[in-house]
Amino acid sequence: MLTFYEHPLSPYAQKVKIALREKGLPFEARTPAGLGSGADYDPDFLAASPRGEVPALIDGDTRVFDSTIILEYLEDKWPGSPLLPRDPAARACARMIEDVMDTHYEAINWGLIEIRYMGRITGAMADTLRARAAEQAVAWRRWLNAELGDAPWFGGSQFGLADLAVVPYLNCSAEFGLHPEPGTALAAWFARVNARPAVAETAREALE
């Protein structure tokens, strides 16, 4: 049984949970005590994640942190039900999409979270930042729509790494009213991907 340290709201943790479920790997999910406070961390969690960040995975004597590295580990150890296509160019594309979502789209969502839930800023400046976030999200959704093209999944004919890397972030931004544009390939993909059991269960946990 794998031990998976996570927080249900973390998109980094969500994408790994989707991968675990897609691969049919049993795991025990744990949310570390003291997460975000930097105090009273579970020693086992810190041993797995010296940065004190989720996600982290324990597989016997193996400890892996960072969502991208965990996904690579799962793909290397359990190559059945592969999440990466065989073609090198397609594999590179999937990895680039994951990187964009982790480094650019996540920042848009986090800014909106800071405004709505943390109350960091209010009034006219908050309105300006929300408008700017919406503009940036639209630009990235256009890029994602182009990357998807007319294929059912970002990897082509099979669900894979790029799909599970995109959906947590789009689900989060949808909570702020930023949905894929109706009638686009991305909108059809969004409905399709959220219907997958692994995605639906992970999204339900985040909403709860």
Side-chain angles (χ1 to χ4, degrees):
M1 174 74 74
L2 299 168
T3 299
F4 182 58
Y5 285 103
E6 58 116 17
H7 190 288
L9 291 177
S10 166
Y12 303 102
Q14 287 178 38
K15 63 181 181 176
V16 175
K17 283 199 294 187
I18 295 169
L20 289 165
R21 287 166 171 154
E22 288 284 341
K23 285 181 172 289
L25 299 173
F27 64 95
E28 178 188 0
R30 299 180 184 175
T31 299
L35 188 64
S37 69
D40 300 322
Y41 278 146
D42 179 345
D44 289 338
F45 168 58
L46 281 182
S49 179
R51 300 188 302 201
E53 297 176 352
V54 294
L57 183 77
I58 299 178
D59 176 22
D61 294 330
T62 301
R63 291 167 170 78
V64 188
F65 63 88
D66 186 272
S67 61
T68 299
I69 299 172
I70 294 172
L71 289 171
E72 291 172 350
Y73 175 77
L74 297 178
E75 195 75 352
D76 289 342
K77 184 164 183 180
W78 291 282
S81 302
L83 294 172
L84 278 170
R86 289 187 176 183
D87 177 66
R91 291 166 77 92
C93 182
R95 289 170 172 142
M96 288 188 290
I97 290 172
E98 183 193 14
D99 185 71
V100 161
M101 301 309 292
D102 284 353
T103 60
H104 287 73
Y105 208 103
E106 193 275 342
I108 298 169
N109 286 342
W110 188 254
L112 294 170
I113 289 169
E114 290 278 347
I115 295 169
R116 177 183 290 184
Y117 298 111
M118 309 298 185
R120 306 292 189 193
I121 196 166
T122 58
M125 181 56 72
D127 292 339
T128 297
L129 293 176
R130 279 191 287 262
R132 180 61 177 144
E135 291 171 3
Q136 292 174 341
V138 165
W140 281 116
R141 288 198 303 271
R142 288 195 190 111
W143 180 78
L144 287 169
N145 195 67
E147 290 295 309
L148 180 63
D150 58 2
W153 306 109
F154 280 100
S157 61
Q158 291 186 321
F159 175 92
L161 174 73
D163 302 288
L164 63 85
V166 171
V167 67
Y169 296 103
L170 291 195
N171 278 342
C172 179
S173 63
E175 292 296 307
F176 295 96
L178 305 178
H179 298 271
E181 287 66 25
T184 62
L186 187 65
W189 169 89
F190 191 57
R192 187 162 53 246
V193 73
N194 272 296
R196 291 185 75 87
V199 176
E201 184 174 2
T202 302
R204 176 185 55 78
E205 291 167 350
L207 288 173
E208 288 178 351

